[in-house]
């Protein structure tokens, strides 16, 4: 796995970079920002999930995935992520760049929806952050 620790923004943020993305853990949220113009394949999601497991240390978290820069994500990668999300993630906010991308994303999610994981698509990171935070707090109250 290629993962380099990158500059910390503050004491509450831990950030690493893989071949496909920058992954940050900030309090109870994981932020994934994919690199420009990348085709996401199984190798990438394997590296990302391995790093995320190290960061979360067995504790469930919420996640924000910024996919505005990716070209595609193959079927094997989607299936792997679905299983990963079901085991370790409470809620996922997916950030896209247009209403068309949002519509396509909703269709793709409909066919690949993980069980017991809330998923919603947003056009801004701020909206996704607020929603995933609220979903995580609701999860904590229920457990």
């Amino acid at each position: 796995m290629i993962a380099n620790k990158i500059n910390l923004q503050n004491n509450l943020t831990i950030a690493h970079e893989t071949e496909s993305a920058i992954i940050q853990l900030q309090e109870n949220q994981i932020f994934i920002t994919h690199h420009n113009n990348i085709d996401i394949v199984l190798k990438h999601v394997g590296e990302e999930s391995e790093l995320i497991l190290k960061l979360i240390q067995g504790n469930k978290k919420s996640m924000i995935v910024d996919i505005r820069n990716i070209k595609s994500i193959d079927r094997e990668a989607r299936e792997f992520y679905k299983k990963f999300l079901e085991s370790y993630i409470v809620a996922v906010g997916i950030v896209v760049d247009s209403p068309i991308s949002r519509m396509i994303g909703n269709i793709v999610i409909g066919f690949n929806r993980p069980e017991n994981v809330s998923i919603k698509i947003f056009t801004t990171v701020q909206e996704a952050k607020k929603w995933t935070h609220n979903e995580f707090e609701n999860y904590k109250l229920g457990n």
Side-chain angles (χ1 to χ4, degrees):
M1 174 175 88
I2 301 170
N4 299 311
K5 198 168 193 175
I6 58 176
N7 294 332
L8 299 178
Q9 296 175 355
N10 60 48
N11 292 337
L12 300 175
T13 301
I14 300 169
H16 295 270
E17 186 169 13
T18 68
E19 183 180 333
S20 58
I22 295 173
I23 299 173
Q24 299 176 62
L25 174 61
Q26 189 173 38
E27 297 176 6
N28 290 312
Q29 292 184 313
I30 298 161
F31 293 84
I32 301 175
T33 305
H34 286 98
H35 297 315
N36 286 336
N37 210 27
I38 190 162
D39 293 303
I40 303 295
V41 296
L42 184 59
K43 172 189 168 194
H44 297 132
V45 296
E47 289 176 347
E48 291 172 15
S49 59
E50 184 179 324
L51 179 56
I52 290 166
L53 286 175
K54 288 179 183 177
L55 292 173
I56 66 173
Q57 300 176 351
N59 299 305
K60 287 200 171 202
K61 304 290 182 192
S62 62
M63 178 185 286
I64 298 169
V65 184
D66 186 341
I67 63 169
R68 292 177 286 190
N69 295 327
I70 70 168
K71 286 191 336 188
S72 67
I73 180 167
D74 75 12
R75 176 182 223 111
E76 286 182 310
R78 286 193 310 269
E79 289 172 0
F80 181 93
Y81 243 137
K82 177 183 175 186
K83 292 175 186 168
F84 177 80
L85 294 174
E86 290 172 346
S87 299
Y88 302 103
I89 303 299
V90 173
V92 180
I94 300 173
V95 182
V96 298
D97 59 0
S98 70
I100 299 283
S101 295
R102 186 180 199 142
M103 183 180 70
I104 293 168
N106 280 318
I107 292 168
V108 171
I109 288 170
F111 289 110
N112 297 286
R113 182 170 295 282
E115 292 183 30
N116 302 315
V117 179
S118 300
I119 298 181
K120 193 169 178 181
I121 297 178
F122 300 91
T123 53
T124 70
V125 171
Q126 293 78 14
E127 291 172 324
K129 185 175 182 177
K130 181 178 177 183
W131 180 82
T132 55
H133 173 78
N134 290 338
E135 289 293 308
F136 186 78
E137 291 301 314
N138 290 337
Y139 166 79
K140 285 192 327 187
L141 291 173
N143 285 317

